[in-house]
Amino acid sequence: MSPRKPSKPPQKHREKSDDRGQRHFQGSATNQGRNRQAGGPRAETKLPSPAAGGGPGGYWLFGHHAVEEALKNPRRQIHRVVAAGDAAASLGRNVAVEAVERDFIDKLVGRDVVHQGIAARVSPLPETDIYEICDLGRNREQATVVVLDQVTDPHNVGAILRSAAAFGAIGIILTERHAAPESGILAKSASGALEHVPLVRVTNLARAMEELKEAGFWCIGLASEAKQTLSSIKSGGKVALCLGAEGAGLRRLTREHCDLLVRLPTSGPIDHLNVSNAAAISLYELAR
């Protein structure tokens, strides 16, 4: 495929919820709270009960990689860090850590969770909108984004984030509804990649794909019934790799907005892959 020429950048808008829960568009606004430096001194507070939260709309990160990368991220607002035993040793001396028993963290995040004895109460990351990704793509000769069509499993989205970070994708686009929310499970599965690859939530996936096309991206959808394989196409330049939920695959409207449908050349007795595995193989192929 020849490189798609980006059109003139459209006037930027961003979506915002009004008081009735509906959505409308308004002029772009700068995200607040981006300049907070992670890892700085924090005021000591009385240790509350395990069920207590660290801030409005926050959640608990857990696991070494997720917490360490969050502390390095100046855009991440961190309210508390708790650790059991020697788990805090890897965080450095400039981080205020509350020493707790492992049972305390079990009650915070669940006994079945592999938290490695460390957790942090954080606010969700500032939102990134589709126009920021489009602007970033316009300034590059080559770029990859991942478009997820109603992928709801946080383990899958986290694993896709990790692959996206490894292979240099600049963002993951997903729907606001019927998609995995930002959470501790997603962040743990991403192994720190959540702090590096933005999750961009949109109300209308087809419209977002058209915005990507305007910025010069080719939208390539993965579908098992496609005639061409991903490796058979010349996919240089800017690519938006579109993947659907397991079982359902890409929805009809999403398929119609793809420039091309391709498949992975599976030939064994099981001819389908987990969506996160398919994403990893496809991102490798695009990078190769």
Side-chain angles (χ1 to χ4, degrees):
M1 297 184 301
S2 59
R4 170 172 261 149
K5 295 182 179 180
S7 60
K8 183 178 179 181
Q11 183 179 1
K12 294 184 181 181
H13 298 81
R14 68 183 304 163
E15 299 177 31
K16 184 177 180 181
S17 297
D18 61 19
D19 293 336
R20 296 168 294 175
Q22 297 175 335
R23 303 192 69 82
H24 60 276
F25 287 88
Q26 70 170 19
S28 177
T30 303
N31 288 321
Q32 301 295 318
R34 293 189 176 185
N35 296 324
R36 183 187 183 278
Q37 296 296 321
R42 296 177 178 84
E44 294 184 3
T45 57
K46 183 179 179 181
L47 192 66
S49 64
Y59 64 95
W60 285 98
L61 287 177
F62 47 85
H64 280 289
H65 291 303
V67 173
E68 287 172 11
E69 293 305 311
L71 288 168
K72 296 174 186 176
N73 185 1
R75 300 178 70 224
R76 174 70 82 177
Q77 187 177 17
I78 299 175
H79 304 283
R80 296 176 60 201
V81 180
V82 297
D86 298 329
S90 63
L91 300 181
R93 297 181 178 180
N94 294 326
V95 180
V97 180
E98 299 173 20
V100 298
E101 297 296 327
R102 183 172 288 270
D103 286 348
F104 183 91
I105 304 178
D106 288 343
K107 294 175 182 177
L108 291 177
V109 301
R111 291 185 179 277
D112 296 331
V113 169
V114 183
H115 53 68
Q116 299 174 302
I118 190 167
R121 183 74 181 182
V122 301
S123 292
L125 286 166
E127 292 181 2
T128 299
D129 63 37
I130 185 66
Y131 303 103
E132 293 177 72
I133 298 298
C134 289
D135 286 346
L136 188 59
R138 283 191 181 92
N139 295 327
R140 300 187 179 192
E141 292 185 3
Q142 293 187 331
T144 302
V145 300
V146 179
V147 177
L148 300 181
D149 188 7
Q150 296 194 344
V151 177
T152 58
D153 186 341
H155 296 92
N156 278 333
V157 176
I160 293 169
L161 264 170
R162 188 173 184 176
S163 297
F167 292 111
I170 63 173
I172 292 183
I173 317 298
L174 65 170
T175 52
E176 262 194 1
R177 298 178 61 190
H178 307 295
E182 184 180 332
S183 67
I185 293 175
L186 187 152
K188 180 65 165 61
S189 300
S191 193
L194 179 59
E195 311 301 324
H196 299 281
V197 180
L199 289 177
V200 182
R201 299 185 185 275
V202 298
T203 55
N204 189 315
L205 197 62
R207 184 189 303 162
M209 292 170 68
E210 291 303 310
E211 295 291 346
L212 289 169
K213 291 179 184 180
E214 293 283 344
F217 285 86
W218 289 95
C219 291
I220 300 178
L222 214 60
S224 59
E225 74 279 8
K227 295 181 179 180
Q228 290 182 280
T229 62
L230 179 58
S231 59
S232 69
I233 64 171
K234 296 181 179 179
S235 55
K238 304 168 191 174
V239 173
L241 176 66
C242 307
L243 302 107
E246 291 182 52
L250 295 171
R251 292 175 295 166
R252 178 189 59 81
L253 193 59
T254 307
R255 289 168 179 257
E256 291 176 356
H257 281 79
C258 286
D259 296 299
L260 186 66
L261 293 177
V262 299
R263 62 181 174 86
L264 296 177
T266 53
S267 58
I270 298 178
D271 61 354
H272 56 278
L273 293 171
N274 173 282
V275 64
S276 61
N277 293 334
I281 294 169
S282 300
L283 288 167
Y284 166 75
E285 182 61 37
L286 292 173
R288 186 177 69 87

